[in-house]
Amino acid sequence: MAPTDDTEPAVRHAATPTATTPHARPSADGAAAPGARMPRWLPRAMVLALALIAAFQLGSWAFHQLTGLLINILIACFLALAIEPAVSWMAARGMRRGLATFLVFLGLTVAVAGFITLLGSMLAGQIIKMVEGFPEYLDSFIRWINETFHTDLRRVDVQEGLLHSDWLRKYAQNSAAGVLDVSAQVLGGLFQLLTVSLFSFYFAADGPRLRRALCSVLPPARQAEVLRAWEIAVDKTGGYLYSRGLMALISGIAHYILLQALGVPYAPVLGVWVGLVSQFIPTIGTYLAGALPMLIAFTVNPWYAVWVLVFVVVYQQFENYMLQPKLTAKSVDIHPAVAFGSVIAGTALLGAVGALIAIPAVATLQAFLGAYVKRYDVTDDPRVHGHRSRGPGSPGLITRIRRLAERQPGAEETSS
């Protein structure tokens, strides 16, 4: 049967292959229709975001795990900059840099080992002397207590009470349990010292090669800036060590004079101990430096230990407020307040290491940035010199007080 005119358009429309269902449109309130597809960029964005979060977490974990190594490398860089002038001086006279660095490290090792050996033997002798004279000190102390408080104490009773006391037994048990911890800390300290020494040796011996490798990835203009910053860091680190060495010399001489006047044995060694420890061990160096002379002075006379304590405290105040700001400001060319603030900031960030390298780091940064900061001539204004300016014709303080005093009687007559 032939198709009619009414059915032919509907059949033709159904047979057309390009006919599709109309796309679903979002509703008026912005919600997607039930048949809407996810945008193609959304899965890739989610994967990228998760990858960035994972990379950040991995980097943060690695940084915390490598914090100790990074601090050791930072200390090694500081030591390499400190010995750079000596190594360069010997290398300029025909010696290989590796051999020059080895000789510098050998000299430092011999000096430190000799000082520690001499100090250890002195300290061991004084401890033996104190242990042998402990009964005499105890007898004099008990005698003083009996005469002062009218008691009847005996040394035998005091010794038996100490030997059978609970706190002594607990102290012995804790000391025995802490031997392993102390041994582990000593081994860790030796390993850290070896790590710092190796990195310092490589940085100092391969200094030119390291500079060439760093400059090879930079354009010529940037290379000049990097080399200039390197030289500034060497100069400022050397100046800082010079100032510390000068203060150590002054401190050692002052304490040597005191100990020699009191008749304390080993006065030269104790003077060197106080000078070095108080200057090159930040934060607690002063207390460590003063404890040993007080201990040795106590073996001679207990009152000598008090005199040493008073002198250490007074000299420390003189050094903090008078000597150190001037020497540090002149040697590293920074303001004393900036030096003090940099030490506090370095201690807060890196502890003792930050306190030791804060001043040369800030001095290097200040000297490097000073070359790129444009400065202008200051106008000749009285306010620059700290003088307050007054307007034209404004009376001074004395004139205003005089006028106020002259007005008081007139005001009283008017009121009456």
Side-chain angles (χ1 to χ4, degrees), residues 110-329:
V110 170
V112 173
F115 176 73
I116 293 177
T117 302
L118 181 60
L119 190 65
S121 61
M122 178 201 67
L123 184 60
Q126 293 300 319
I127 291 177
I128 293 174
K129 184 178 178 180
M130 287 184 62
V131 172
E132 292 177 351
F134 180 75
E136 182 179 354
Y137 295 142
L138 185 59
D139 288 338
S140 61
F141 182 69
I142 292 175
R143 191 181 308 112
W144 177 80
I145 292 180
N146 292 332
E147 294 176 356
T148 304
F149 300 100
H150 304 288
T151 57
D152 190 15
L153 294 177
R154 293 182 303 171
R155 187 179 70 183
V156 178
D157 298 335
V158 175
Q159 291 177 350
E160 290 181 355
L162 290 175
L163 292 176
H164 295 86
S165 60
D166 295 335
W167 68 269
L168 184 61
R169 185 175 63 255
K170 292 180 180 179
Y171 177 78
Q173 294 175 356
N174 295 332
S175 300
V179 169
L180 295 178
D181 296 336
V182 173
S183 302
Q185 292 179 1
V186 170
L187 292 177
L190 292 177
F191 179 76
Q192 184 177 4
L193 180 60
L194 179 61
T195 304
V196 171
S197 301
L198 289 177
F199 275 110
S200 302
F201 181 84
Y202 292 143
F203 289 158
D206 295 337
R209 187 184 304 175
L210 181 62
R211 286 191 286 267
R212 285 196 300 268
L214 182 61
C215 293
S216 63
V217 297
L218 298 174
R222 298 296 180 184
Q223 293 178 13
E225 295 178 0
V226 169
L227 295 176
R228 182 179 181 181
W230 195 293
E231 293 298 325
I232 291 175
V234 172
D235 294 338
K236 295 303 179 181
T237 304
Y240 172 72
L241 292 179
Y242 164 76
S243 64
R244 286 292 175 180
L246 185 58
M247 285 190 295
L249 179 62
I250 297 174
S251 177
I253 292 175
H255 288 83
Y256 164 74
I257 294 174
L258 172 69
L259 297 174
Q260 189 69 26
L262 295 177
V264 178
Y266 305 102
V269 181
L270 291 175
V272 175
W273 163 265
V274 173
L276 293 178
V277 174
S278 62
Q279 300 303 323
F280 291 99
I281 298 182
T283 308
I284 62 173
T286 302
Y287 308 103
L288 292 177
L292 183 58
M294 289 175 56
L295 180 64
I296 305 301
F298 184 82
T299 61
V300 179
N301 191 333
W303 285 105
Y304 288 175
V306 178
W307 283 108
V308 173
L309 175 61
V310 172
F311 183 82
V312 168
V313 173
V314 172
Y315 181 83
Q316 186 64 31
Q317 302 307 314
F318 166 76
E319 182 182 278
N320 291 337
Y321 294 101
M322 299 294 295
L323 187 62
Q324 181 176 353
K326 294 182 179 180
L327 292 179
T328 304

Side-chain angles (χ1 to χ4, degrees), residues 21-27 31-39:
T21 305
H23 293 285
R25 297 182 179 179
S27 58
R37 288 184 176 182
M38 180 186 299

